[in-house]
């Protein structure tokens, strides 16, 4: 059975009709609703509201824990990262600025940097078993960067741009961001000098920036 | 000696390319912890850097949204609430303390200010004397340790590497020596290059293998001799070192984890055992 996508037709000022896939519009609505809910909860947390803090935790902890686990590759470490991150969120929620960052971006950044720190602390980056464990992930990652470009929502922009980069560039960038690999680790994994990795990342980020701007 | 540079020439992180470099690598997680922390400090005073970091975070967030969820342990929330309750209690106590201080009569506060003004010059003088006294003690102790090790045939904590760092006129500015057993780095500061209050001197080790410079930290002001315990990673850097350099950086050290172009002293690292063998 062929699944058909319904589309919504939007009229523009010049009279031409623009089409927006229904799934994409639905995603935008959900996204905006989530943004306003999280902003509201963060505002209340900033005023010391523990009920709001609990709701914020319930709403975001599984996703944030997933991010911590993706980097640390250890459930205990991920939970400890999550714990430290939520303490920081509680302490800093009054400093959150709506105009500077989306709430989930702000929350995820706190978790991610904690997880990178934890990874460095554990010195687990240099363990061979971890490199092997990531082998499948990285293969999947190359596949995903091709596939994800076709997803019908706002996230496509990044995936689309990543898919346009040279494979080595996108791989180095994703290894660093997703799994917390250092440049030296990437160099060891890809059997290339550190300077080459730096150059791939620099050029890749430059192209990415241009692509996202366009 | 390099020319004295205006502070604005050193604020490299105001240049768009540098800002972009710091911001993108900050978000990518490829900055060292030290540089990452410096970037966090810089964000507070450079809105442009903060804006670029936010931009990169927002650009990459799609990857985090695609990450599979993982339910946290129940104990995690319990630990968080316990810590938050503890924080709230401490904060409440601190607020009470502050309120008590505010409630002090103005007269008492004024008297205290007068007392501080009276003892401050003496305290400053005492601090400076204290620093000198400590420096002399450290020099004596180190000299004694070195003499003692020589007398014992160099079997204990012998001098392993030495570098005499000179300026462009070939005048010695720093002597860096390392001791193998204790993995200690000792820096004798012969002449401190002129730097402004907005700058710091940073010591770097240049690798023999990849020619990359890696930081060994900031050289503090107002000390004649500095003894620093090296970590295992830093010791590996010393063993692989071709040269040591000292650069002028923004206050707190290089914001990007790489040395600036303003090298005030440079010296080749000599491994003493090899040198003795060849001599």
């Amino acid at each position: 059975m062929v699944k058909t996508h319904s589309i919504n037709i939007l009229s523009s000022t010049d009279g031409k009709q623009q089409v927006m896939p229904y799934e994409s519009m639905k995603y935008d609505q959900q996204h905006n609703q989530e943004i306003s809910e999280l902003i509201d909860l963060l505002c209340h947390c900033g005023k010391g509201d523990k009920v709001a803090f609990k709701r914020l935790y319930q709403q975001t902890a599984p996703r944030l824990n997933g991010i911590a686990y993706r980097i640390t590759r250890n459930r205990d470490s991920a939970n400890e990262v999550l714990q430290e991150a939520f303490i920081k969120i509680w302490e800093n929620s009054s400093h959150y600025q709506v105009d500077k960052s989306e709430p989930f971006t702000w929350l995820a950044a706190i978790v991610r940097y904690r997880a990178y720190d934890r990874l460095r602390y554990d010195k687990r980056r240099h363990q061979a078993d971890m490199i092997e464990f990531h082998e499948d992930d990285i293969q999947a990652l190359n596949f995903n960067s091709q596939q994800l470009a076709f997803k019908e929502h706002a996230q496509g922009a990044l995936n689309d741009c990543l898919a346009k980069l040279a494979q080595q560039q996108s791989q180095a960038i994703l290894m660093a961001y997703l799994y917390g690999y250092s440049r030296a680790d990437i160099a060891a994994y890809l059997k290339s000098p550190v300077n080459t990795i730096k150059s791939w990342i620099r050029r890749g980020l430059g192209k990415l920036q241009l692509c996202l701007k366009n | 000696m390099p020319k004295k540079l205006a502070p604005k020439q050193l604020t490299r992180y105001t240049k768009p390319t540098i800002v972009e470099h710091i911001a993108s690598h900050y978000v990518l997680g490829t900055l060292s912890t030290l540089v990452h922390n410096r970037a966090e400090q810089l964000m507070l005073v450079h809105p442009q850097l903060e804006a670029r970091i936010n931009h990169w975070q927002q650009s990459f967030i799609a990857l985090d949204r695609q990450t599979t969820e993982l339910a946290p342990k129940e104990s995690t929330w319990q630990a968080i609430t316990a810590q938050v309750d503890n924080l709230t209690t401490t904060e409440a106590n601190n607020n009470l303390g502050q309120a008590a201080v505010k409630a002090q009569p103005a007269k008492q506060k004024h008297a205290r200010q007068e007392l501080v003004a009276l003892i401050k010059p003496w305290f400053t003088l005492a601090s400076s004397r204290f620093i000198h006294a400590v420096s002399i003690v450290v020099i004596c102790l180190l000299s004694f340790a070195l003499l003692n090790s020589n007398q014992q045939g160099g079997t204990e904590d012998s001098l392993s590497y030495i570098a005499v760092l000179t300026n462009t006129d070939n005048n010695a500015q720093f002597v860096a020596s390392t001791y193998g057993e204790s993995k200690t780095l000792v820096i004798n500061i012969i002449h401190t290059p002129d730097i402004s209050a907005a700058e710091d001197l940073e010591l770097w080790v240049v690798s023999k293998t990849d020619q990359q410079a890696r930081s060994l930290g900031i050289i503090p002001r107002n000390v004649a001799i500095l003894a620093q315990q090296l970590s295992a990673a830093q010791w590996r850097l010393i063993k692989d070192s071709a040269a040591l350099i000292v650069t002028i950086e923004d206050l707190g050290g290089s914001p990007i984890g790489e040395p600036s172009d303003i090298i005030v002293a440079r010296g080749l690292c000599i491994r003493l055992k090899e040198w003795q063998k060849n001599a």
Side-chain angles (χ1 to χ4, degrees):
Chain A
M1 187 181 152
V2 180
K3 192 182 173 189
T4 52
H5 289 281
S6 54
I7 54 171
N8 286 276
I9 300 172
L10 309 169
S11 53
S12 62
T13 47
D14 59 4
K16 288 178 187 168
Q17 286 180 330
Q18 296 175 327
V19 289
M20 185 185 234
Y22 174 71
E23 292 296 330
S24 177
M25 205 171 108
K26 198 172 150 193
Y27 170 81
D28 282 347
Q29 279 172 355
Q30 284 172 349
H31 184 65
N32 290 340
Q33 195 182 341
E34 185 206 67
I35 288 177
S36 56
E37 273 177 31
L38 291 182
I39 289 173
D40 188 46
L41 290 174
L42 277 172
C43 283
H44 280 88
C45 289
K47 290 171 190 164
D49 183 343
K50 288 183 185 173
V51 177
F53 185 55
K54 189 175 184 181
R55 276 186 58 204
L56 181 74
Y57 181 84
Q58 286 166 338
Q59 205 161 321
T60 58
R63 276 185 287 167
L64 297 175
N65 197 39
I67 294 168
Y69 178 72
R70 184 189 74 204
I71 296 166
T72 61
R73 288 284 157 182
N74 179 296
R75 275 174 194 262
D76 290 336
S77 297
N79 274 272
E80 282 168 28
V81 164
L82 189 73
Q83 184 184 329
E84 287 172 18
F86 264 92
I87 298 301
K88 196 169 181 188
I89 290 164
W90 172 255
E91 287 178 321
N92 292 355
S93 51
S94 59
H95 302 303
Y96 168 71
Q97 288 170 283
V98 183
D99 57 328
K100 290 189 176 173
S101 177
E102 281 188 15
F104 186 74
T105 308
W106 188 76
L107 297 167
I110 292 175
V111 170
R112 215 163 36 76
Y113 300 134
R114 294 257 146 190
Y116 292 150
D117 274 353
R118 179 60 190 239
L119 196 61
R120 288 193 186 102
Y121 179 77
D122 289 348
K123 295 182 179 167
R124 284 157 41 79
R125 286 178 176 214
H126 301 288
Q127 287 179 8
D129 59 336
M130 192 177 165
I131 300 276
E132 281 170 24
F133 188 72
H134 279 177
E135 187 105 32
D136 294 340
D137 293 350
I138 287 160
Q139 281 167 4
L141 203 127
N142 290 331
F143 173 76
N144 282 344
S145 60
Q146 303 293 324
Q147 296 295 310
L148 291 169
F150 300 104
K151 284 210 170 182
E152 293 175 313
H153 51 62
Q155 289 165 201
L158 175 69
N159 297 317
D160 208 9
C161 289
L162 279 169
K164 284 177 186 165
L165 299 182
Q167 192 184 325
Q168 291 156 325
Q169 292 172 353
S170 62
Q171 194 164 335
I173 289 170
L174 291 172
M175 282 172 83
Y177 187 90
L178 290 176
Y179 304 121
Y181 276 71
S182 71
R183 288 176 289 201
D185 296 333
I186 300 170
Y189 181 82
L190 297 176
K191 296 182 179 69
S192 301
V194 176
N195 282 340
T196 308
I197 303 300
K198 284 184 183 176
S199 165
W200 286 346
I201 293 178
R202 193 180 61 245
R203 285 184 200 158
L205 287 171
K207 283 184 192 169
L208 200 61
Q209 192 186 355
L210 267 178
C211 179
L212 289 169
K213 207 183 273 181
N214 292 335
Chain B
M1 278 292 289
K3 278 180 260 173
K4 181 79 185 134
L5 294 167
K8 67 175 181 183
Q9 284 175 273
L10 280 169
T11 52
R12 291 177 291 156
Y13 42 81
T14 54
K15 292 178 188 169
T17 49
I18 299 289
V19 167
E20 211 55 51
H21 175 90
I22 301 172
S24 57
H25 283 81
Y26 177 92
V27 173
L28 217 54
T30 45
L31 297 178
S32 68
T33 309
L34 186 74
V35 180
H36 177 95
N37 293 342
R38 278 180 199 161
E40 285 192 339
Q41 294 302 311
L42 287 172
M43 268 168 77
L44 302 174
V45 285
H46 291 278
Q48 201 193 348
L49 177 63
E50 190 193 14
R52 291 313 295 167
I53 287 175
N54 288 336
H55 164 81
W56 279 107
Q57 282 178 171
Q58 195 58 45
S59 301
F60 276 108
I61 194 65
L63 296 172
D64 293 322
R65 287 189 181 279
Q66 289 160 13
T67 299
T68 314
E69 293 185 5
L70 178 68
K73 292 178 190 172
E74 274 183 32
S75 59
T76 303
W77 173 244
Q78 287 158 6
I80 291 168
T81 43
Q83 231 174 315
V84 165
D85 288 344
N86 197 21
L87 276 171
T88 317
T89 315
T90 315
E91 208 174 298
N93 288 343
N94 285 346
N95 288 342
L96 274 175
Q98 278 171 5
V101 169
K102 276 179 192 167
Q104 276 185 337
K107 205 176 173 182
Q108 246 183 33
K109 200 176 166 187
H110 183 67
R112 203 174 56 181
Q113 280 171 350
E114 277 185 345
L115 183 66
V116 168
L118 193 70
I119 63 168
K120 204 177 173 183
W122 292 102
F123 182 73
T124 311
L125 186 65
S127 301
S128 134
R129 282 184 180 166
F130 178 71
I131 288 165
H132 283 106
V134 168
S135 303
I136 290 164
V137 169
V138 170
I139 290 169
C140 290
L141 284 174
L142 285 168
S143 307
F144 176 76
L146 184 59
L147 190 70
N148 197 30
S149 100
N150 286 340
Q151 279 169 352
Q152 288 175 7
T155 50
E156 282 181 20
D157 211 8
S158 53
L159 194 59
S160 46
Y161 292 85
I162 190 160
V164 179
L165 285 79
T166 58
N167 62 14
T168 48
D169 298 330
N170 257 343
N171 293 324
Q173 305 286 296
F174 306 91
V175 178
S177 7
T178 56
Y179 293 84
E181 293 299 318
S182 64
K183 295 184 175 51
T184 312
L185 169 71
V186 177
I187 302 166
N188 287 279
I189 300 152
I190 299 162
H191 177 79
T192 310
D194 293 334
I195 51 168
S196 74
E199 297 159 2
D200 263 328
L201 292 171
E202 191 161 357
L203 179 68
W204 304 84
V205 53
V206 181
S207 160
K208 230 184 309 191
T209 313
D210 61 8
Q211 303 301 311
Q212 295 289 308
R214 293 176 179 90
S215 177
L216 282 179
I218 302 293
I219 299 176
R221 291 157 197 257
N222 304 324
V223 292
I225 192 160
L226 169 74
Q228 184 185 329
Q229 180 68 51
L230 297 173
S231 65
Q234 286 174 324
W235 182 247
R236 280 198 297 276
L237 290 177
I238 291 286
K239 287 208 291 187
D240 180 46
S241 61
L244 293 181
I245 58 171
V246 173
T247 59
I248 298 183
E249 301 292 341
D250 299 313
L251 198 65
S254 166
I256 54 169
E258 289 170 15
S260 73
D261 299 333
I262 313 156
I263 300 170
V264 291
R266 182 196 297 271
L268 291 178
C269 238
I270 299 165
R271 190 178 170 192
L272 281 190
K273 278 181 188 166
E274 279 182 3
W275 178 75
Q276 281 164 353
K277 228 184 277 174
N278 296 335

